[in-house]
Amino acid sequence: MSDANVRIPEEAKERLAAIAAAEGLSLRAYLARLAETLLTPAERAERAEKALAALKEWNGYAPTAAEQQDLDSELDRRLAQVTSR
C-alpha cells in the first residue's frame, strides 16, 4: 500500500479526523473506507442505466430525455428547498 499526501484546509482535516475518531477509526482508515464506499461518476451512470432498464422491464417505465430532465430539475428544486431550511 502506498501513502499519499493530500493538501486540504486545516479545518477540513480536523473535521474529518473528528468524524473518524467518533467512529473509532484513524483518519487514514476513515478515508480508505470512504474511498471504497463512494461511487465514481461512471459507476453512478452505470447503476442509473441498470435501474432504468429494471424499471422498464418491471413496469414499462421508460422516460424520455425531456422527462428525465424535468424529474432531475424537480429533485434539484426539492433538495434546494430542504437544504435552505
Side-chain angles (χ1 to χ4, degrees):
M1 179 182 340
S2 64
D3 285 333
N5 291 322
V6 179
R7 296 180 54 89
I8 61 173
E10 186 66 28
E11 300 81 24
K13 178 186 173 250
E14 290 171 4
R15 179 174 172 80
L16 289 169
I19 294 167
E23 295 189 25
L25 298 170
S26 68
L27 179 55
R28 179 183 182 160
Y30 178 77
L31 291 174
R33 186 181 75 180
L34 185 64
E36 291 171 2
T37 61
L38 295 176
L39 299 175
T40 66
E43 291 167 333
R44 284 194 306 274
E46 181 182 354
R47 284 193 180 184
E49 285 179 32
K50 286 180 179 179
L52 279 173
L55 283 170
K56 184 176 182 181
E57 182 179 326
W58 177 57
N59 68 3
Y61 181 70
T64 65
E67 289 170 328
Q68 284 182 338
Q69 182 59 48
D70 289 345
L71 291 168
D72 286 346
S73 296
E74 178 63 14
L75 179 59
D76 289 343
R77 184 189 69 77
R78 290 182 184 199
L79 287 172
Q81 193 175 42
V82 170
T83 57
S84 68
R85 290 181 185 169

